[in-house]
Amino acid sequence: MTADVESVFRAEYGRAVAVLVRFLGDIDLAEEAVQDAFTVAVRTWPDKGVPPSPAGWIITTARNRAIDRLRREAGRDARHAEAARLYAADPPAEEGPVRDDRLRLIFTCCHPALAVPAQVALTLRLLGGLGTAQIARAFLVPEPTMAQRLVRAKAKIRNAGIPYRVPRDADLPDRLRGVLAVVYLIYNEGYDGDPGLCAEAVRLARLLAELMPDEPEVTGLLALLLLTESRRPARTDADGALVPLPEQDRSRWDRTLIAEGQDLVRRCLRRGRPGPYQIQAAINAVHSDAPSAEATDWGQIRQLYDQLMALAPSPVVALNRAVAVAETEGAEPALALVDALDLDGYHVFHAVHADLLRRLGRTAEALDAYDRALALAPGPAERRYLERRRRELVT
């Protein structure tokens, strides 16, 4: 894929699929048509140049490809008639409480008939244009497992006759858990190197906050994303290596985003209805309050992780809690907690393991853990950081 097409793909794939779903009423057909349009772009843009409105070109080309596909099935009278209707029609008017096409697609896919992991995986595939391997990494499962989940999710939508329509106001809360998970994972996927995905996740979180202002977990998610995004300028060094939070130059943090995020956290606290995203936002607020790494209130962070483990226990939460334990009780009790976790396919697990072993003077084991982390690291920033830490042990 050329650089121009790749840039448009990252920025516009999700919106193009969302617009086509609204126009066609068929997720599979919309996805295939958008993929066809980008294939045409790869062939034609290098010679003819990028059109003045690349996103509009993709959507128009995808619409025409979908209509052509229906017409090729001319033996099926109903499909041919549908193609003729679509060719003459304008996109249907937006209806219902959700007016943003991408947000509409998220709510549409997060149907309660699907398990939440299937909702999230399918929406990441359609909205973010993420490959199966990327989605599998986000869920910490093997790629074949995720491929099967995606196939089953689409089959269930098709076989159960689940309609592709925007839910009513009354249906929104029941779909909220999956929607929040989708937006959060879109942000996480971008955090490893695609600022555009992060910006899109923040945009969607803001729209959600406008749509559902009385849902504290929506406010909590927006606060979490803003506080995390505030550290982006300090997250890598001049060589592109990851700079972990304790080593970051805090003068480079975006104070405007921090102020907005902290204000949202305070709003959540006043409501007294804690949830996982609110607690994670509160943890990030504690970090952003500290003028230096040494001044961080690790005791409060440990208490918040205890609360998070009670509300939404997971191996990743337990790993993060172990980091707080290391700061409050020492490396040895933290290592015992980490050793009990089953996260062998997660590079951060091995990086934390290596750091704790390093602190305890167990150099040979730490080197092995760094090697495991390096083998799993998703991007160059993480690899450069891990390579530096490993070199420090042998020099």
Side-chain angles (χ1 to χ4, degrees):
M1 190 179 292
T2 66
D4 287 330
V5 178
E6 188 173 354
S7 175
V8 174
F9 182 90
R10 286 198 305 267
E12 302 294 345
Y13 178 87
R15 184 165 76 95
V17 171
V19 170
L20 265 290
V21 167
R22 182 161 60 89
F23 181 70
L24 299 168
D26 185 317
I27 285 178
D28 279 330
L29 183 57
E31 186 181 18
E32 290 168 4
V34 172
Q35 290 171 352
D36 285 349
F38 276 104
T39 300
V40 176
V42 169
R43 280 201 316 265
T44 60
W45 288 9
D47 294 329
K48 296 183 178 180
V50 179
S53 173
W57 187 97
I58 290 291
I59 290 170
T60 300
T61 302
R63 174 179 178 269
N64 292 337
R65 287 271 162 163
I67 293 169
D68 289 344
R69 185 171 297 220
L70 291 171
R71 280 178 166 166
R72 283 198 298 271
E73 301 179 15
R76 302 179 185 179
D77 293 340
R79 296 286 265 181
H80 190 71
E82 177 69 2
R85 182 189 70 78
L86 289 173
Y87 188 78
D90 291 324
E94 293 186 353
E95 299 174 354
V98 184
R99 295 305 177 98
D100 179 83
D101 273 313
R102 278 170 282 201
L103 196 57
R104 287 160 61 102
L105 181 59
I106 295 176
F107 272 105
T108 299
C109 288
C110 291
H111 194 282
L114 298 175
V116 171
Q119 296 173 9
V120 175
L122 181 59
T123 313
L124 286 174
R125 176 75 189 90
L126 296 172
L127 190 76
L130 302 184
T132 305
Q134 291 173 288
I135 301 171
R137 187 173 71 237
F139 279 85
L140 302 178
V141 299
E143 185 174 348
T145 301
M146 182 51 63
Q148 291 172 359
R149 285 186 189 176
L150 290 168
V151 169
R152 285 198 297 266
K154 286 189 175 184
K156 186 161 189 177
I157 287 176
R158 183 176 60 253
N159 296 337
I162 294 172
Y164 304 123
R165 64 169 179 248
V166 178
R168 300 165 299 173
D169 280 315
D171 297 327
L172 298 183
D174 289 340
R175 304 193 183 192
L176 186 59
R177 181 183 169 199
V179 171
L180 293 177
V182 166
V183 175
Y184 184 49
L185 284 174
I186 288 173
Y187 184 87
N188 282 348
E189 186 61 34
Y191 199 60
D192 285 333
D194 189 344
L197 275 181
C198 291
E200 175 63 6
V202 171
R203 188 188 73 83
L204 291 170
R206 289 190 185 281
L207 287 173
L208 275 173
E210 292 174 11
L211 180 68
M212 308 178 81
D214 296 325
E215 287 287 348
E217 276 292 81
V218 173
T219 305
L221 175 63
L222 177 57
L224 172 59
L225 298 192
L226 294 175
L227 290 168
T228 306
E229 188 67 7
S230 73
R231 300 194 292 270
R232 178 179 293 281
R235 189 171 179 260
T236 54
D237 63 18
D239 297 324
L242 175 72
V243 180
L245 195 153
E247 300 174 24
Q248 289 176 9
D249 177 358
R250 298 181 182 222
S251 68
R252 300 181 64 196
W253 289 0
D254 187 323
R255 308 313 301 187
T256 301
L257 291 180
I258 288 174
E260 184 181 2
Q262 289 181 335
D263 179 63
L264 293 172
V265 170
R266 286 191 287 270
R267 285 192 221 171
C268 291
L269 290 173
R270 287 195 292 269
R271 285 175 172 164
R273 292 162 53 197
Y277 294 107
Q278 296 172 72
I279 295 171
Q280 291 178 76
I283 291 168
N284 278 270
V286 174
H287 281 298
S288 67
D289 267 337
S292 66
E294 294 73 23
T296 302
D297 188 346
W298 282 104
Q300 187 178 2
I301 290 174
R302 160 74 184 274
Q303 291 174 0
L304 288 166
Y305 272 119
D306 289 343
Q307 190 177 7
L308 187 57
M309 280 295 291
L311 278 177
S314 77
V316 173
V317 173
L319 178 65
N320 290 325
R321 178 181 176 274
V323 173
V325 169
E327 298 298 328
T328 54
E329 299 179 28
E332 195 157 346
L335 183 62
L337 295 172
V338 170
D339 282 338
L341 299 175
D342 181 15
L343 284 170
D344 192 57
Y346 186 36
H347 76 285
V348 177
F349 166 76
H350 294 291
V352 170
H353 199 204
D355 184 64
L356 294 173
L357 291 166
R358 178 190 59 80
R359 292 195 207 184
L360 294 169
R362 294 161 61 174
T363 303
E365 294 169 272
L367 289 171
D368 182 61
Y370 277 126
D371 287 339
R372 289 173 179 267
L374 278 163
L376 295 166
E382 289 82 359
R383 284 194 290 273
R384 289 193 184 104
Y385 165 72
L386 292 168
E387 286 165 355
R388 175 171 66 81
R389 296 295 280 176
R390 191 186 189 285
R391 282 196 305 271
E392 291 171 353
L393 275 180
V394 296
T395 55

